[in-house]
Amino acid sequence: MSENSTSERSGTDGRGARPWGAGTATAVGSMPGGDAREAVKTVTGSLETFPHLPELPARGPGADMIGRTCGLLVEVYAHVEPSGWRVSDRPGRDTRRARAWLGEDLDALEEFTQGYAGPLKVSAVGPWTLAAALELRGGEAAVSDPGACRDLTASLAEGVRAHLADLRRRVPGAQPVLQLDEPSLTAVLQGRIKSASGYRTHPAVDRAVVEGALRTLVEAADGVPVVVHSCAPAVPFALLRRAGAAGISFDFSLLTEREEEAIGEAVEGGTTLFAGVVPGTDGRLSDPAGSVMGVRTLWRRLGLTPGTLAESVVVTPSCGLAGASPAYARSVLAHVVRAATSLADNPE
C-alpha cells in the first residue's frame, strides 16, 4: 500500500478514520420481522465488532428505507400516496410514525449496546435514491427538478447531522459510521428513472452534480466515515471515491470486468470494499471460505498485495435481509463473521 493510501486510511484526508479493523464483517441494514428489540439483539449478538441499527420494513410505511429517511429530513415533510412517498406542506401522521419507529429502534440499540465501544453503523437513503423515489406535489419524482434536488440534499444533510449526534448521545462509546443507501444511483446517472406516466424517463443527471451532492453528505457527516451502498449493477466506484466515500458496499456477484480497474484504484486510494458475498434471501450457504473465494481471486487478478486484503475488505450479505426468514438471517450474520475471519487467516 502506498504512503498516500496509508494516509487516507488513517483519516487524514478529511473523510474520517476507519474504525473497523481487519477481518471484519457487518450487514447492510434491513432485517425480517417487526420486533425492534429482537432485531437489535440478533445484530449486536452476531456482529460483535461492527453492529448496525436494523431497519424493519415489514412494519409498513415509515419503517421502509424511504420512509425512515423522510422522517430524518429537516423542514421537508412527506406523506404516503398509493404511488409512494410525496412531499407535504407540514408533518403529518406518516412523518410522525416514521420518527416514532426510528425512536423505538434507537431505544433498542441503546439498550443492547450498553458499554459497547467500536464502530456502529446507521443508515439513510442517499440524496439521489431519495430524489428518485420521493414525489413532488404534482406527482413527478424530485429528480426531475434540480432545485428540489438541492433542497432535498440540504435537508438530508441537516437530518444526518442530528441523527449522528443522537447516536453519540445514546451510545457514548460508539464510533459512528454512516451508510448512504443508493440503489437508484446508477439509474439516475443513466437517465433511467421513469416519469409519473411511465411512458418516458427523466434525463440523466450530470455526474458532477451527482458527485457534489454526495460530497455534501460526506461533509455533513463531519469526520464520520461514510459508506455508500448499492446493490444494483454498474456501481460508479470512481465517482463515489471522488465524492469522499470511505467505503463502497455492493453485491459482489454483480461485478463485471468493466468495474475492475476502478475497484483497484479505489483500494489503492484507501477506500474500503464492503463486499456482499452472501445472498440476502433464503438458500443454501456454502462454507465461509468458499464465500470469499471470489474476493481472493479478484485480488490476485488486480495484482493487489494479499496482505492488504483483510484490511481493505469488510464482508457483508449482498443486500438487506428483510426478505429472508429469521432463521436464515441469523445464519447469514454468523456466516459473514466466519467468512471475514477466513479472509484474514488465509488472504491467499
Side-chain angles (χ1 to χ4, degrees):
M1 191 69 70
S2 66
E3 181 180 347
N4 179 56
S5 61
T6 302
S7 171
E8 286 184 336
R9 189 170 296 282
S10 69
T12 56
D13 66 345
R15 290 189 286 179
R18 313 315 193 244
W20 50 82
T24 304
T26 190
V28 172
S30 65
M31 291 286 288
D35 186 326
R37 292 185 74 259
E38 183 61 32
V40 171
K41 181 180 179 182
T42 298
V43 166
T44 56
S46 300
L47 303 172
E48 295 180 357
T49 61
F50 198 171
H52 65 93
L53 177 67
E55 296 172 357
L56 301 174
R59 292 181 297 195
D64 59 300
M65 68 177 193
I66 299 297
R68 171 177 277 191
T69 301
C70 286
L72 291 175
L73 296 176
V74 176
E75 296 183 357
V76 174
Y77 312 108
H79 67 277
V80 178
E81 292 278 344
S83 54
W85 284 86
R86 183 172 294 185
V87 170
S88 301
D89 293 325
R90 59 185 64 83
R93 178 184 60 188
D94 296 327
T95 298
R96 290 192 293 270
R97 182 170 54 209
R99 291 174 176 173
W101 270 331
L102 177 58
E104 179 183 314
D105 297 341
L106 286 166
D107 287 345
L109 185 70
E110 184 176 359
E111 176 184 351
F112 286 100
T113 53
Q114 294 294 315
Y116 175 76
L120 182 57
K121 182 162 65 72
V122 293
S123 303
V125 172
W128 295 107
T129 295
L130 186 62
L134 186 60
E135 299 173 356
L136 300 176
R137 290 175 181 84
E140 289 294 350
V143 74
S144 65
D145 184 332
C149 290
R150 289 191 293 271
D151 290 345
L152 269 183
T153 298
S155 176
L156 180 59
E158 288 300 313
V160 159
R161 289 190 189 99
H163 190 31
L164 292 171
D166 190 18
L167 180 68
R168 288 190 179 99
R169 285 193 297 270
R170 290 170 175 270
V171 190
Q175 294 172 278
V177 176
L178 174 65
Q179 177 177 300
L180 295 177
D181 291 315
E182 283 283 16
S184 298
L185 178 59
T186 301
V188 168
L189 289 166
Q190 295 178 352
R192 293 191 286 106
I193 301 299
K194 289 187 176 181
S195 66
S197 68
Y199 294 120
R200 62 181 181 87
T201 57
H202 297 295
V205 179
D206 183 86
R207 297 180 76 87
V209 174
V210 169
E211 183 181 324
L214 289 167
R215 190 178 297 111
T216 295
L217 268 296
V218 171
E219 292 169 354
D222 194 23
V224 169
V226 175
V227 177
V228 180
H229 168 73
S230 174
C231 51
V235 174
F237 287 92
L239 184 152
L240 295 175
R241 180 170 61 86
R242 291 194 304 270
I248 301 173
S249 173
F250 58 97
D251 182 342
F252 191 84
S253 71
L254 298 179
L255 287 183
T256 67
E257 290 184 8
R258 290 193 299 271
E259 285 92 49
E260 289 190 2
E261 181 179 354
I263 289 173
E265 290 174 354
V267 171
E268 287 292 340
T271 305
T272 300
L273 304 180
F274 283 62
V277 299
V278 183
T281 53
D282 289 38
R284 184 177 178 274
L285 295 173
S286 68
D287 68 284
S291 292
V292 289
M293 184 60 69
V295 180
R296 294 190 183 95
T297 301
L298 175 64
W299 226 250
R300 288 194 297 270
R301 195 158 60 239
L302 294 176
L304 297 169
T305 307
T308 66
L309 178 53
E311 69 180 44
S312 300
V313 173
V314 173
V315 179
T316 75
S318 60
C319 204
L321 297 171
S325 66
Y328 180 78
R330 288 191 296 270
S331 296
V332 166
L333 298 186
H335 187 92
V336 294
V337 170
R338 292 195 295 269
T341 300
S342 169
L343 208 58
D345 290 345
N346 183 22
E348 299 185 76

